[in-house]
Amino acid sequence: TQLLEQSPQFLSIQEGENLTVYCNSSSVFSSLQWYRQEPGEGPVLLVTVVTGGEVKKLKRLTFQFGDARKDSSLHITAAQPGDTGLYLCAEYPSGTYKYIFGTGTRLKVLA
Amino acid sequence: GAGVSQSPSNKVTEKGKDVELRCDPISGHTALYWYRQSLGQGLEFLIYFQGNSAPDKSGLPSDRFSAERTGGSVSTLTIQRTQQEDSAVYLCASSLGTRQPQHFGDGTRLSIL
């Protein structure tokens, strides 16, 4: 069974700080998605990465896909309270029709 | 609205009762997923519907859980003889097709007393 591990589980930082969260798989990804979920809401897709070594930027968020396509990172620059939420990575293993989600990183940015 | 709609948003019921959760996907989305999320945790896949194909029920935790999708649109997830461990947020997502980005509803928070 393919597993997605996210670290850290919890992160509490001050506004303006930088942070990186990680997603690691037990095997090679076909593609990877990052979602953010705010309390009381469903997850919202942030980005999809497909190619090994790929880097995508979304304002202050930088997403990187590892060269071997077994890991990914999300870096947030100058975090703001609005970045608070549960960050989930998800992948779609080859030959299946269902997504596997990581356990998430719960981020809290203090004003 | 144009998003995925789930109802009810909250449901409190007694142990042993049956519950029915509803999901209205985005119009034109052929794929529909149900997930369960326990407090502060990631998402656990339950069931997947794609068009007129037989659903993938491999994630349903027991035979007390069932789901159907009528006319390729609205879906209902039914839990019979609820147990306390069924307490969780049940999320529905739809997508244009297999391997397309998923759009989630805000979930139904189910509490079993």
Side-chain angles (χ1 to χ4, degrees), chain A residues 4 6 23 29 31-35 88-92 99-102, chain B residues 102:
Chain A
L4 280 179
Q6 291 190 244
C23 175
F29 301 135
S31 68
L32 189 86
Q33 299 182 337
W34 283 94
Y35 291 82
L88 295 160
C89 61
E91 66 153 331
Y92 212 157
Y99 283 88
I100 295 174
F101 281 82
Chain B
Q102 297 179 82

Side-chain angles (χ1 to χ4, degrees), chain A residues 55-64 73-77:
Chain A
V55 177
K56 285 192 173 179
K57 292 192 175 184
L58 185 66
K59 297 183 180 178
R60 294 175 294 100
L61 278 59
T62 301
F63 304 85
Q64 186 154 6
S73 64
L74 159 58
H75 181 80
I76 302 178
T77 303

Side-chain angles (χ1 to χ4, degrees), chain B residues 15-52:
Chain B
K15 176 182 171 181
K17 300 287 189 183
D18 297 352
V19 295
E20 195 171 272
L21 313 180
R22 178 186 168 105
C23 173
D24 270 289
I26 293 173
S27 177
H29 281 195
T30 60
L32 187 147
Y33 302 78
W34 282 98
Y35 296 90
R36 179 168 69 176
Q37 186 175 32
S38 299
L39 187 62
Q41 299 299 308
L43 277 62
E44 174 190 4
F45 167 82
L46 297 178
I47 188 168
Y48 162 71
F49 296 90
Q50 171 57 49
N52 295 320

Side-chain angles (χ1 to χ4, degrees), chain A residues 12-90:
Chain A
S12 181
I13 62 172
Q14 294 292 325
E15 181 177 4
E17 293 184 357
N18 301 331
L19 67 116
T20 303
V21 299
Y22 301 92
C23 175
N24 293 284
S25 175
S26 56
S27 50
V28 175
F29 301 135
S30 55
S31 68
L32 189 86
Q33 299 182 337
W34 283 94
Y35 291 82
R36 178 170 65 215
Q37 183 179 23
E38 299 186 22
E41 299 182 5
V44 175
L45 178 66
L46 296 174
V47 75
T48 299
V49 286
V50 177
T51 306
E54 183 175 4
V55 177
K56 285 192 173 179
K57 292 192 175 184
L58 185 66
K59 297 183 180 178
R60 294 175 294 100
L61 278 59
T62 301
F63 304 85
Q64 186 154 6
F65 206 17
D67 291 340
R69 290 165 53 215
K70 294 186 69 175
D71 59 275
S72 181
S73 64
L74 159 58
H75 181 80
I76 302 178
T77 303
Q80 298 177 1
D83 296 327
T84 293
L86 178 67
Y87 287 81
L88 295 160
C89 61

Side-chain angles (χ1 to χ4, degrees), chain B residues 2 21 39 41 48 52 54 62-64 74 76 83 85 100:
Chain B
L21 313 180
L39 187 62
Q41 299 299 308
Y48 162 71
N52 295 320
S62 77
D63 59 8
R64 296 186 295 104
V74 172
T76 55
Q83 303 293 313
E85 61 262 29
Q100 296 297 310

